[in-house]
Amino acid sequence: MTSEDAKLPIYKIDVDGDPVEPIENRRKYISQAGVIVRDEVPISIAEWLKPAGVAEDDPCYVHQHYKDFCFDTLLEHFNLPDDIEPATKLKLKQWTLSKMADAFRKYKKTLWA
């Protein structure tokens, strides 16, 4: 069994970037996004979203390279449609990063509790 066989397929992505088919792989996609965020983003970072006007190297916010790394790591576990357009993949990335942000906030809230 190759690593390509071990990947879960995503057959359909809607206009908002939400992977909708198959539904069981959608749930796994969201769950895996949360696992990756908890594993890869240091707990010393306070916030996911950096407000406008804040220095790029501010250690209180998740840098874009962490976000890109998390997204790329997630895609290593899933097969996207072969005919996916770049605009659709960008929407998928935005949608995924919003799910990762939710997972990060919930994780940090649990740590503080």
Side-chain angles (χ1 to χ4, degrees):
M1 185 166 168
T2 66
S3 63
E4 197 66 27
D5 295 333
K7 292 183 176 185
L8 297 172
I10 300 292
Y11 298 127
K12 185 177 178 186
I13 299 168
D14 72 7
V15 295
D16 295 327
D18 184 354
V20 292
E21 289 182 16
I23 193 71
E24 58 274 0
N25 289 354
R26 178 187 187 276
R27 286 191 290 270
K28 291 174 184 176
Y29 184 90
I30 294 169
S31 178
Q32 188 66 30
V35 169
I36 290 170
V37 166
R38 288 189 298 277
D39 286 349
E40 300 299 337
V41 179
I43 61 171
S44 60
I45 297 176
E47 297 289 332
W48 181 267
L49 185 62
K50 178 181 72 69
V54 174
E56 189 64 35
D57 61 347
D58 191 324
C60 295
Y61 305 99
V62 177
H63 293 269
Q64 189 61 42
H65 72 273
Y66 276 123
K67 295 175 185 179
D68 293 340
F69 177 76
C70 288
F71 179 70
D72 293 340
T73 302
L74 179 62
L75 290 186
E76 291 175 4
H77 302 282
F78 293 88
N79 281 328
L80 299 179
D82 292 332
D83 60 346
I84 189 169
E85 295 179 13
T88 304
K89 189 170 181 179
L90 181 61
K91 284 285 193 182
L92 174 68
K93 183 175 182 178
Q94 292 169 343
W95 183 87
T96 302
L97 291 178
S98 74
K99 293 299 178 189
M100 287 180 172
D102 292 343
F104 183 75
R105 279 190 291 276
K106 288 176 188 172
Y107 177 56
K108 293 295 284 195
K109 184 177 180 180
T110 301
L111 286 176
W112 279 102

